[in-house]
Amino acid sequence: LAPGSRAAPRWLVMDLASFLGLEPTTDPARFRLPVTREICGGRDSIYGGCALATAIEAAEAHTGRPTAWATCQFLRPAHLGSVVELEVLVPAAGRAVSHTRVIARVGDEEVFAALVSVGERDFPAEGVWQTMPDVPGPEGLPARYIRAQNKGGIRERITELAVTDHPDGVMSNPDGRCAVWITMP
């Protein structure tokens, strides 16, 4: 990328399903996700954000609608080398919005479940209800400090810059809050 450029050229952008390794099956409501090192956190299990992103991708692919809202409940880890089988259920399909449930299993064990609302709707009110924290831009920030046991996996594929005054990227705020600039391929 050119210095100062904020967006990658379109030909450099990777689609999320490819980034995650999500595979369709012959059943349009079912997907497979081999748990590879590239989507694991430091403990050799799927990184939580990758699990949620996988559920969102599956719900969007099955319904053909964009995500409006999603949440995920993690029940047990999906370890490196396992294969997560995802099933998309649509208990409520409306004209504008559908509500899906994505159940993820390794073998017979449920590992996570997500609720994903998909669709578009015109709302009478406009506005922003969550305010981004007032933090400096990513320029000049140190790489986020990661403990040795948490290195590897997805962290080798993304760039994390810590919003901190510590030159080594250590993040320690008394109130437990932190901000990180993350860049994906």
Side-chain angles (χ1 to χ4, degrees):
L1 296 177
S5 174
R6 297 195 65 83
R10 182 78 186 126
W11 55 270
L12 282 180
V13 177
M14 178 185 291
D15 70 274
L16 193 53
S18 296
F19 179 82
L20 297 165
L22 183 64
E23 302 169 353
T25 67
T26 56
D27 181 341
R30 295 182 181 272
F31 299 82
R32 295 179 74 250
L33 179 71
V35 180
T36 62
R37 187 76 183 111
E38 291 80 15
I39 60 169
C40 284
R43 296 188 176 139
D44 285 341
S45 61
I46 192 169
Y47 193 75
C50 290
L52 176 58
T54 299
I56 289 170
E57 280 293 304
E60 288 183 351
H62 179 61
T63 63
R65 292 177 154 185
T67 297
W69 178 88
T71 189
C72 194
Q73 182 181 43
F74 300 97
L75 306 172
R76 58 189 47 86
H79 293 288
L80 178 64
S82 63
V83 176
V84 177
E85 303 283 342
L86 295 101
E87 178 182 14
V88 181
L89 307 169
V90 186
R95 285 174 293 154
V97 177
S98 294
H99 302 290
T100 70
R101 185 176 302 123
V102 181
I103 307 299
R105 294 180 180 87
V106 172
D108 292 334
E109 289 196 320
E110 194 171 322
V111 293
F112 62 87
L115 299 176
V116 184
S117 295
V118 293
E120 297 181 79
R121 187 173 183 181
D122 290 328
F123 290 97
E126 288 187 20
V128 175
W129 289 271
Q130 180 66 36
T131 305
M132 182 177 153
D134 185 21
V135 298
E139 296 79 19
L141 293 176
R144 179 180 179 192
Y145 171 78
I146 305 294
R147 290 187 215 139
Q149 67 266 29
N150 292 334
K151 288 186 177 182
I154 192 167
R155 290 207 158 97
E156 293 176 2
R157 302 174 74 199
I158 63 176
T159 302
E160 296 177 84
L161 301 176
V163 178
T164 180
D165 292 330
H166 196 286
D168 292 329
V170 174
M171 301 177 70
S172 59
N173 294 336
D175 67 1
R177 296 173 185 231
C178 67
V180 180
W181 286 99
I182 297 176
T183 305
M184 297 174 60

